[in-house]
Amino acid sequence: MLDDPSTLHARDPEGLLEALTRLPSRVGTPDRPRPSPIGFDATGATAVLVPVLAPWVDGRLVAGGTQILVDGGFQSDDVAVWRLAAEASGSEVVFLGAPGDADDDVAAALGVTKPAPDVVLEDGPVVAFDVVRLIAHAAGRHEDVARLERALTEVATACAPSVATEHNPAKTLAWRLYQRIPLLIAPRGAAALQGWVQQVFARVGKVLAVPTGDHPSLVAASAFEARHALADDLVALVLGAEDAETRIVAEVLETRAADLERLTLGAGGWPASLEDPVLDAILVAYAATWAAAYVALLGELDPSRPGVYDAVRAAAAAEARAGR
């Protein structure tokens, strides 16, 4: 099914596969460096990027320099308050948000008008990568962006809809994950990547993925003792790389989970590691987005469609306004 262009087109009416193909060379986000120190904080789905990109910035909130704030679309009071605090401390604020985020009752109550976003981002399955680019350029990491884009292009080429399943690592992984629950495993220190990949599978693949956190050994060794059958629906999915602990975890789960798969850089058709934990995390999340898109298509679902998520966001916004 994944090798039938007409079926893919019919199930992907908004063109997510095409958007993923274009993503490595996508333009539009600001690409100039900003005054340091650089701060980055976010609400909503984009908050998952804060720990991933922490090595590239100087903190969540900074005094002076540049404060980058992303409004995740839940009408959170935090963004208005953060902006006021950042501006009071002398920071240049770069505010990212979706269209329509300009009206904010909290800011008005504090005697200010929250302006429209400095950078308008259309919320969607690939918006996280726009935020990544903006922050990388703001921090002066232009060479890292170039390296990343070359690696992303490798992924896009390998995972393109025109590439048959037997040669396509994303399609192959999608089939192996289909109707299973990925149990996410990553080397110590990569729990933030697990959180991002969990969101990718939820938003794009429409499936649950379960992170094991920074100490997956405990989950693998103990979490199925009371109910062994729970693991029958799980596929242990190793992300990014393997270290000594990850290899032990994989060995344990081979005897417990239904299957063991790897989305590891430098193997299985995926590009080599960029030898940088931030760049590698972004690369793995992009590869996971391809696999998640094919998982949704296998289930006859539109990978772009937000569905209930939009209704939840609208309800959260309405509740926030009613409580003010």
Side-chain angles (χ1 to χ4, degrees):
M1 192 286 292
L2 294 180
D3 295 335
D4 180 355
S6 61
T7 301
L8 290 180
H9 180 74
R11 294 182 182 174
D12 183 25
E14 295 187 37
L16 178 58
L17 296 179
E18 178 60 28
L20 287 172
T21 300
R22 295 194 310 267
L23 188 144
S25 57
R26 181 170 168 161
V27 297
T29 53
D31 60 359
R32 67 178 178 88
R34 306 275 180 167
S36 61
I38 304 290
F40 168 50
D41 214 336
T43 66
T46 312
V48 76
L49 295 179
V50 174
V52 174
L53 300 181
W56 281 4
V57 299
D58 299 292
R60 296 176 74 106
L61 300 173
V62 296
T66 304
Q67 181 65 58
I68 299 171
L69 298 172
V70 183
D71 191 331
F74 276 79
Q75 300 295 321
S76 170
D77 299 353
D78 294 340
V79 174
V81 175
W82 291 346
R83 177 159 197 152
L84 289 171
E87 290 176 340
S89 72
S91 295
E92 173 189 332
V93 176
V94 181
F95 173 48
L96 286 67
D101 282 345
D103 295 326
D104 190 281
D105 297 336
V106 173
L110 293 171
V112 299
T113 300
K114 177 178 164 184
D118 302 292
V119 180
V120 175
L121 298 176
E122 290 287 351
D123 186 62
V126 298
V127 69
F129 299 99
D130 292 333
V131 176
V132 164
R133 275 198 177 95
L134 184 145
I135 291 173
H137 284 302
R141 294 180 170 270
H142 311 298
E143 292 186 5
D144 283 338
V145 173
R147 292 175 62 209
L148 178 63
E149 288 176 347
R150 288 193 291 270
L152 294 177
T153 300
E154 286 186 52
V155 174
T157 301
C159 299
S162 59
V163 178
T165 298
E166 59 265 32
H167 304 297
N168 188 316
K171 290 182 181 180
T172 300
L173 182 58
W175 275 111
R176 292 173 179 169
L177 297 179
Y178 182 50
Q179 295 188 329
R180 300 284 190 182
I181 299 171
L183 182 67
L184 306 177
I185 304 163
R188 191 171 300 175
L193 169 61
Q194 294 180 38
W196 188 0
V197 171
Q198 180 189 42
Q199 282 199 7
V200 165
F201 277 112
R203 186 164 196 175
V204 177
K206 322 303 179 189
V207 296
L208 173 67
V210 181
T212 55
D214 261 335
H215 190 43
S217 297
L218 179 60
V219 175
S222 302
F224 309 107
E225 290 299 300
R227 295 183 64 188
H228 290 271
L230 284 176
D232 293 345
D233 289 330
L234 298 178
V235 174
L237 179 59
V238 181
L239 300 172
E242 290 187 65
D243 59 9
E245 182 179 8
T246 307
R247 283 190 287 272
I248 293 172
V249 171
E251 288 177 11
V252 171
L253 288 174
E254 275 185 314
T255 65
R256 299 193 171 202
D259 199 0
L260 175 71
E261 297 296 335
R262 290 175 170 83
L263 200 171
T264 53
L265 299 177
W270 303 109
S273 166
L274 295 176
E275 305 299 332
D276 177 287
V278 177
L279 294 177
D280 283 352
I282 299 164
L283 191 57
V284 169
Y286 176 63
T289 307
W290 275 102
Y294 287 126
V295 167
L297 293 167
L298 282 173
E300 301 185 19
L301 297 169
D302 179 353
S304 296
R305 187 177 179 183
V308 177
Y309 180 55
D310 265 2
V312 170
R313 291 199 302 176
E319 182 176 340
R321 286 193 295 270
R324 290 173 184 166

